[in-house]
Amino acid sequence: MWSELSSFGRAYWNHGIYCIVTAAFFFSISSSLLRPIGPDVTVFEIVAVRSTLSMVLSVVTARLSHDDSPLFGSLGHMHLLFLRGASGAMAMTCFYVSVQKLLLSEAVALLFLNPALVAVLAFFFLRETITVYGVLGCISSLIGMVLVVKPPIIQGDSGEWTDSRQLGVLMGILAAFLAAVAYTSIRKIGTREKSLTIAVWFHSTALASSIIALLLGVFGVTFSMPTATDWVCMVVIAMCSFLAQLMISRGLQLEKAALGSAVNYLQVLFAAALGYILYGEPVSLLSFVGAILIFVGVLALSVKKSQPQEEEDGATEEEKQAILALDQEDEQHVIELQTHK
């Protein structure tokens, strides 16, 4: 029985789509638990608690795996790891603000402007191609996202477009761009760094930035002692976020940047369901149609993956270790090996 479970676990861990779907589910749980936290608790406090607990879990995971490799990775990839950490930390902070200002499903949907941005960034910086299916999938997903968000231009009720809502939308769009930068940097790193290392950089950068923001009183925020309920929510947020970051890092290592972030669109569906079940947030016809279009986009992006990527996904463990051994050589040569072998 244990051998069967172990085999299933390995197969699951080596399937990029499964990892990303799992990450989307845990991300949605994490987002939904932001609502019960008291209004006096600042976003930076939530980020600090989440990042602290996630760092502890990262160190424990490394110890349990008996991995003697550097937790923060190799020196040659520090610039990419820092870019992933910094952009991810800022994206998380902006996203938390948008969750506070918008409906849960709206905030999550806005975050998913990032697949189109990822596709553009990956095209210019990773030399990844976009198939016709990919273009149609992104268009379908983006239209679905707009329908889920339901801006005033669609509803015809501009009276709801308050300053608070405008800030939420602005933070959501900014979070989407920063998330796209983070996802693209993960793809650039590829399998040359472990997913735990990539997650550690995200957690440590988020922790450092949130502590600095609290100490300096950025945007006039001050520390407020959380209640027992706040602490419980923040601990669960940290645990779910740790698992989600680990799974999304692994998934994006195995899948193309645009495809991986498009599958991550499932967060919108999970968020809409949790928002309705936990907080009574209505699911309108537009939201339902938008969700269907998002699913269509995910399916389109999953069809006709390019042959080089399929060959990469089928690489043996020995081939991947050989690529890792070339770590100190020219980075472009490594990327070419991963793409064309």
Side-chain angles (χ1 to χ4, degrees):
M1 177 179 177
W2 288 112
S3 61
E4 293 177 354
L5 289 175
S6 178
S7 298
F8 174 78
R10 285 195 298 270
Y12 199 99
W13 181 248
N14 289 321
H15 197 294
I17 298 299
Y18 291 167
C19 290
I20 296 171
V21 171
T22 303
F25 177 71
F26 281 117
F27 274 133
S28 299
I29 294 177
S30 174
S31 301
S32 67
L33 290 176
L34 289 168
R35 289 298 178 84
I37 297 177
D40 293 334
V41 179
T42 68
V43 169
F44 295 120
E45 289 179 63
I46 301 173
V47 172
V49 172
R50 165 183 162 166
S51 302
T52 299
L53 295 179
S54 296
M55 276 297 299
V56 172
L57 290 172
S58 298
V59 173
V60 170
T61 300
R63 290 294 181 88
L64 291 177
S65 63
H66 303 289
D67 188 358
D68 296 329
S69 60
L71 188 61
F72 284 88
S74 60
L75 185 62
H77 303 139
M78 288 296 177
H79 62 297
L80 291 173
L81 290 167
F82 176 77
L83 177 61
R84 186 272 178 271
S87 56
M90 290 186 290
M92 176 175 60
T93 303
C94 292
F95 173 67
Y96 281 3
V97 173
S98 69
V99 169
Q100 293 178 338
K101 304 297 182 181
L102 305 172
L103 293 177
L104 181 60
S105 59
E106 292 176 337
V108 175
L110 268 181
L111 182 64
F112 286 100
L113 286 169
N114 76 73
L117 298 173
V118 166
V120 173
L121 292 175
F123 176 78
F124 284 106
F125 297 104
L126 305 185
R127 299 181 182 178
E128 290 188 2
T129 58
I130 305 176
T131 65
V132 174
Y133 289 98
V135 172
L136 294 176
C138 284
I139 292 174
S140 178
S141 296
L142 287 172
I143 294 174
M145 180 275 300
V146 172
L147 293 179
V148 171
V149 171
K150 301 182 295 295
I153 192 173
I154 291 180
Q155 284 190 314
D157 185 9
S158 58
E160 294 184 3
W161 202 245
T162 62
D163 291 341
S164 178
R165 183 173 179 81
Q166 290 181 43
L167 177 61
V169 170
L170 177 62
M171 289 295 102
I173 294 174
L174 184 57
F177 173 75
L178 293 169
V181 174
Y183 292 158
T184 306
S185 65
I186 292 173
R187 183 60 191 171
K188 179 72 172 179
I189 294 169
T191 57
R192 295 186 296 279
E193 293 290 353
K194 296 183 177 180
S195 55
L196 182 61
T197 296
I198 297 173
V200 163
W201 269 89
F202 168 68
H203 300 315
S204 59
T205 307
L207 176 60
S209 60
S210 60
I211 290 177
I212 292 174
L214 286 171
L215 291 176
L216 297 180
V218 176
F219 302 124
V221 300
T222 57
F223 176 80
S224 177
M225 180 59 67
T227 64
T229 301
D230 296 336
W231 280 114
V232 171
C233 289
M234 288 191 288
V235 168
V236 177
I237 286 172
M239 295 177 64
C240 290
S241 299
F242 173 78
L243 293 173
Q245 285 296 332
L246 196 62
M247 297 302 283
I248 194 67
S249 295
R250 177 61 177 173
L252 289 175
Q253 284 181 324
L254 299 174
E255 296 295 336
K256 274 193 172 183
L259 173 62
S261 51
V263 173
N264 202 27
Y265 262 135
L266 289 174
Q267 282 189 56
V268 178
L269 301 180
F270 294 146
L274 290 173
Y276 177 76
I277 295 171
L278 299 178
Y279 308 114
E281 296 181 355
V283 179
S284 66
L285 178 61
L286 284 177
S287 295
F288 178 76
V289 174
I292 295 299
L293 287 175
I294 290 171
F295 265 128
V296 171
V298 171
L299 291 175
L301 282 157
S302 300
V303 174
K304 299 291 184 181
K305 292 173 61 180
S306 62
Q307 185 65 25
Q309 180 66 23
E310 290 179 353
E311 294 177 356
E312 177 184 340
D313 293 343
T316 64
E317 193 62 34
E318 289 76 11
E319 288 175 313
K320 291 179 180 179
Q321 291 299 324
I323 293 175
L324 290 172
L326 295 173
D327 228 13
Q328 303 302 319
E329 297 187 17
D330 183 70
E331 185 178 70
Q332 184 59 40
H333 179 55
V334 176
I335 296 173
E336 292 174 356
L337 282 176
Q338 287 182 303
T339 306
H340 300 296
K341 69 177 183 291

